[in-house]
Amino acid sequence: MKKKWIAAAAILAAILLCILGFNALKPKTVEGAKTIRVTVVNEIDGTELFSGTIKTQAETLGQMLDDASELKAEMESSTYGRLLTGLLDVKQGEMATGPWWLYESENNEACKAAGFCPAADETPIQDQDQFTFKYTDSY
């Protein structure tokens, strides 16, 4: 009987550790005003479409894109979350063949921790983050 209790306690401890561990790894959102530096580049024709700052109260990159009317962002739901399918009236091509809208950041904590930027709605933003959005046919 004692072995069953020890095994049950060990399983419970492992489950608790997993839950706490996943929550610790999940990036935290930051409330309040933020200034985000955004650059939008069309790599297909070599033009810079936008370079400037966005003032926002958003907590995630997806919310910022929804709120920043000057970027004219278009998002589409998918099994992996919402995908960026258009910016500044430039629409993404077919998913299988491109061209695609991709984004990156050298200073966003979630992007640095993962080695890439997560889905827009899973990328928390902080004041002074910088994002580059690229319309490209290669990744």
Side-chain angles (χ1 to χ4, degrees):
M1 184 74 164
K2 231 182 206 184
K3 288 182 181 181
K4 286 183 181 180
W5 279 105
I6 292 173
I11 291 171
L12 184 60
I15 291 170
L16 185 60
L17 184 61
C18 286
I19 291 170
L20 293 175
F22 285 129
N23 283 336
L25 293 176
K26 186 176 180 182
K28 305 288 186 249
T29 59
V30 177
E31 293 182 8
K34 298 165 200 67
T35 301
I36 308 299
R37 178 96 178 127
V38 174
T39 304
V40 181
V41 178
N42 182 335
E43 288 188 338
I44 307 295
D45 66 12
T47 59
E48 184 174 271
L49 304 174
F50 179 90
S51 181
T53 57
I54 305 290
K55 304 242 185 240
T56 185
Q57 295 281 331
E59 294 182 18
T60 67
L61 182 61
Q63 291 171 344
M64 188 271 298
L65 289 168
D66 288 340
D67 295 345
S69 59
E70 62 268 41
L71 294 177
K72 301 179 186 177
E74 296 178 35
M75 306 284 280
E76 196 173 284
S77 294
S78 79
T79 56
Y80 304 105
R82 291 191 314 146
L83 299 174
L84 180 62
T85 58
L87 270 180
L88 299 164
D89 297 322
V90 178
K91 308 231 185 302
Q92 178 170 287
E94 293 296 319
M95 195 61 177
T97 59
W100 307 272
W101 276 108
L102 305 176
Y103 52 91
E104 61 190 23
S105 176
E106 293 183 8
N107 73 335
N108 176 272
E109 291 300 322
C111 298
K112 288 187 338 185
F116 61 90
C117 289
D121 292 329
E122 300 297 320
T123 302
I125 57 175
Q126 298 179 0
D127 189 41
Q128 302 303 313
D129 276 353
Q130 299 174 8
F131 288 92
T132 301
F133 294 85
K134 296 177 181 179
Y135 185 65
T136 183
D137 56 4
S138 61
Y139 54 92

